[in-house]
Amino acid sequence: MELSKETNKLFIQGADVLSREENPIERIRCMLKNYLELDNVNFLFGTGSSIIIGARSIQSIPLSIEESIKAENPQEEDGKGKNSLYDEFITIIKTLQDEPEKEKRLSWKNNEGEEVFGEIDYSLEKLLNYLLAIDFIQEHSANAITYKYIGSLITIIKRELFKLCDLDLRPINEALLSNIAKKHLNENRYYYHEHFTKKVLQRSLNLKRANIFTTNYDLAFDKAFDRLGVNYINGFSGFHNRYFKPETFEYDIFFPGSTTQGKVQRIEKVLRYFKIHGSLTWVNRAPSANCVYGIEELPMELIRKNKEYDSLMIYPTTVKKSYTLDYPYSELFRQFSVSISQPQSVLITFGYSFSDEHINDLIYQALTIPSFTLIIVDFKGVDGSAEIKRLMELNDPRIIIMQGTQIGDFPFFVEQVMPDLIEFDTNAKIAETMQKLYPSKTDKGIGISQSAHNNIDDKIENPTDLL
């Protein structure tokens, strides 16, 4: 499939370089191949990787959450029938938006030219952050803030957020899909997450394990790993009872495991996996000898059955110690920082809009390292995120930005943009063999053509030179 130069862009040092390429998709794949063969490869996924299978952005407050708050309908003691919970919710929204009269909502023009108002224009994660901060203050000083329903709002938001992120039960987003993608996802909801995983696992076993970080709470990659039989190291240890043990991040898996002497070999299907904003399957537990940090990973079916929404560990707020300064978040962010700060590291982000200051600070710190490369892949890119645009305007050759309706589409990115490393190696060998068998006239007497010596896979020093 051809890549449209009109709707897709590749920015290097602030300039779009796709327009001058005869075969842009192959050039991008060659560039990515060279980065994927570095020793320290890291991926960071945002909502853009799961939106095709039912996830949705929470940069605004979903109507389903607002309707659920309305439906709770606690009454005032005077019996006037006032929905106190919803009124308090709207009061909080107007305070956060600094809108004294009416809350600000997303709007658009309908076919008749009339303005239609939809979801509340405020980040759900920022709202949850604020509510948890208020809850923390009220826990230590009951009279400091007079809101009555903070606990109820937190519970409702977590419950509805769980439903929004439970992708097994969500319809696929057919409006965003080609006919081929619809077919694949109707047969296997996690087809593209599996396909991506297979390509990453083609990296040489002589290299460090690839690191996959995600801000998503959903289980898209978890499910894909399980279906493929991939061993993923995610910080939890155990079988029937899985508890958070940060030392497991430093483990690896070898074969044979039954000997302490002689030669051992690394198992091929292993990845390191970090859910840095938490997960739908992580719950708080009372600390014990086996569960020192008080964090347990449960099967999704058990979470659905027990409805432990209050205990869900999702989104680390900037205020509450039990969320940010304690485990697991402090360790997850530390692992992210250490991983991208290694020499010759690359971080490839997909569908991440750079709206999280926790993560951005660590990425910007990594940019102080000369050998670090940041590759941003996003549907809207500089046209949708002010922070991504700011990064482009730095004109730093180590910051590569890919955006567009094809490049930023997860199925297209996985199928067409992500290189197949085995295929690349095979094609390179074929080309080299044919060049030896049929050297050009100018190379007769030399035996091997100069072009074979300058093979792109072996001689390129800077992957951006390919473009």
Side-chain angles (χ1 to χ4, degrees):
M1 183 181 294
E2 291 188 3
L3 183 69
S4 169
K5 299 178 186 179
E6 286 72 33
T7 58
N8 297 275
K9 297 178 181 180
L10 173 61
F11 294 103
I12 298 178
Q13 284 191 280
D16 177 21
V17 300
L18 279 189
S19 58
R20 64 174 184 258
E21 290 298 327
E22 293 183 5
N23 193 344
I25 194 72
E26 282 303 312
R27 292 302 191 188
I28 294 174
R29 294 177 80 227
C30 286
M31 178 190 72
L32 285 178
K33 174 188 179 293
N34 282 274
Y35 281 118
L36 290 175
E37 290 180 338
L38 294 177
D39 201 27
N40 300 295
V41 172
N42 308 276
F43 294 90
L44 172 62
F45 288 95
T47 308
S49 63
S50 296
I51 201 164
I52 57 170
I53 50 176
R56 57 144 299 162
S57 171
I58 49 178
Q59 292 304 306
S60 58
I61 298 174
L63 287 174
S64 61
I65 291 181
E66 185 178 352
E67 292 301 320
S68 295
I69 293 171
K70 281 184 180 179
E72 293 292 323
N73 199 36
Q75 305 296 313
E76 290 282 11
E77 294 180 0
D78 59 11
K80 292 181 179 180
K82 186 178 180 182
N83 189 335
S84 305
L85 174 63
Y86 183 70
D87 286 348
E88 184 166 289
F89 166 70
I90 293 298
T91 298
I92 290 171
I93 292 296
K94 290 191 292 186
T95 299
L96 293 172
Q97 293 180 330
D98 195 20
E99 295 284 345
E101 298 299 325
K102 187 174 179 59
E103 72 278 6
K104 183 180 178 182
R105 293 178 178 269
L106 300 177
S107 63
W108 62 94
K109 299 285 187 180
N110 62 16
N111 294 333
E112 287 74 36
E114 300 171 331
E115 190 171 19
V116 179
F117 294 92
E119 296 180 344
I120 293 172
D121 188 13
Y122 196 79
S123 165
L124 180 63
E125 286 190 336
K126 288 183 179 178
L127 172 62
L128 186 56
N129 181 21
Y130 180 81
L131 295 175
L132 288 165
I134 297 299
D135 185 54
F136 177 74
I137 293 172
Q138 289 183 333
E139 183 181 325
H140 290 79
S141 180
N143 298 321
I145 300 176
T146 57
Y147 289 129
K148 297 181 179 180
Y149 303 109
I150 296 298
S152 297
L153 287 172
I154 292 172
T155 298
I156 294 169
I157 289 173
K158 283 191 173 184
R159 181 187 72 206
E160 296 305 315
L161 188 55
F162 179 90
K163 294 177 182 177
L164 288 173
C165 297
D166 189 357
L167 299 184
D168 283 344
L169 306 180
R170 300 277 297 170
I172 64 173
N173 201 334
E174 295 195 356
L176 301 177
L177 301 171
S178 66
N179 290 332
I180 295 176
K182 287 178 190 175
K183 180 178 181 296
H184 285 317
L185 292 178
N186 280 316
E187 292 174 355
N188 174 10
R189 178 176 294 269
Y190 304 107
Y191 173 85
Y192 290 104
H193 289 80
E194 291 179 24
H195 198 29
F196 169 82
T197 303
K198 290 176 184 177
K199 287 191 173 184
V200 172
L201 288 172
Q202 291 174 358
R203 297 177 69 245
S204 171
L205 282 178
N206 294 326
L207 302 173
K208 292 180 181 178
R209 304 295 192 186
N211 299 308
I212 295 180
F213 298 87
T214 179
T215 60
N216 300 336
Y217 313 124
D218 62 60
L219 306 186
F221 277 112
D222 308 58
K223 297 278 188 177
F225 298 158
D226 286 343
R227 288 174 61 90
L228 294 174
V230 173
N231 295 285
Y232 56 99
I233 299 166
N234 71 342
F236 287 80
S237 178
F239 294 95
H240 297 296
N241 301 103
R242 291 181 55 77
Y243 301 122
F244 184 72
K245 295 184 178 180
E247 63 269 22
T248 63
F249 284 127
E250 310 307 323
Y251 293 175
D252 206 335
I253 304 176
F254 295 83
F255 177 85
S258 58
T259 180
T260 57
Q261 297 180 352
K263 185 178 180 181
V264 295
Q265 188 173 12
R266 296 175 91 195
I267 296 294
E268 291 184 357
K269 296 164 68 172
V270 178
L271 292 168
R272 301 173 80 232
Y273 182 45
F274 307 82
K275 303 185 79 169
I276 52 181
H277 274 184
S279 176
L280 297 184
T281 56
W282 298 1
V283 295
N284 280 310
R285 288 285 183 258
S288 64
N290 292 325
C291 185
V292 175
Y293 300 104
I295 306 161
E296 184 175 9
E297 184 179 41
L298 297 177
M300 191 66 168
E301 295 76 12
L302 195 58
I303 299 286
R304 293 191 192 113
K305 180 181 177 181
N306 294 343
K307 300 179 180 179
E308 294 189 67
Y309 306 122
D310 284 336
S311 299
L312 288 182
M313 301 197 67
I314 53 176
Y315 191 58
T317 80
T318 56
V319 177
K320 195 169 182 181
K321 176 182 180 296
S322 62
Y323 279 82
T324 21
L325 301 182
D326 210 345
Y327 283 89
Y329 299 111
S330 59
E331 178 63 20
L332 293 167
F333 282 113
R334 188 187 74 82
Q335 289 287 339
F336 180 66
S337 177
V338 169
S339 297
I340 65 176
S341 298
Q342 298 295 314
Q344 298 295 323
S345 291
V346 60
L347 173 64
I348 302 173
T349 73
F350 187 97
Y352 172 65
S353 62
F354 283 75
S355 60
D356 191 306
E357 293 181 4
H358 292 83
I359 297 171
N360 294 351
D361 287 344
L362 298 177
I363 295 174
Y364 300 161
Q365 179 63 33
L367 282 168
T368 64
I369 301 170
S371 63
F372 174 73
T373 301
L374 173 63
I375 301 177
I376 301 169
V377 186
D378 189 74
F379 189 86
K380 294 182 178 179
V382 300
D383 297 328
S385 168
E387 198 62 21
I388 293 178
K389 184 177 181 180
R390 188 168 79 95
L391 286 168
M392 181 195 71
E393 292 172 347
L394 295 175
N395 293 329
D396 189 329
R398 298 171 303 146
I399 300 175
I400 300 169
I401 300 172
M402 294 189 279
Q403 72 176 62
T405 55
Q406 290 174 294
I407 290 179
D409 174 61
F410 191 58
F412 186 90
F413 178 79
V414 170
E415 296 259 71
Q416 305 296 331
V417 180
M418 273 288 290
D420 187 314
L421 299 181
I422 294 176
E423 177 186 321
F424 259 95
D425 289 342
T426 302
N427 289 343
K429 290 295 182 185
I430 292 173
E432 184 177 347
T433 298
M434 298 310 293
Q435 286 168 338
K436 289 178 179 178
L437 287 174
Y438 301 101
S440 65
K441 291 182 180 180
T442 56
D443 292 326
K444 285 182 178 179
I446 298 177
I448 300 177
S449 70
Q450 187 63 36
S451 60
H453 279 298
N454 294 329
N455 185 283
I456 195 170
D457 293 331
D458 299 325
K459 297 298 181 181
I460 195 73
E461 293 182 0
N462 183 355
T464 59
D465 291 341
L466 291 168
L467 295 168

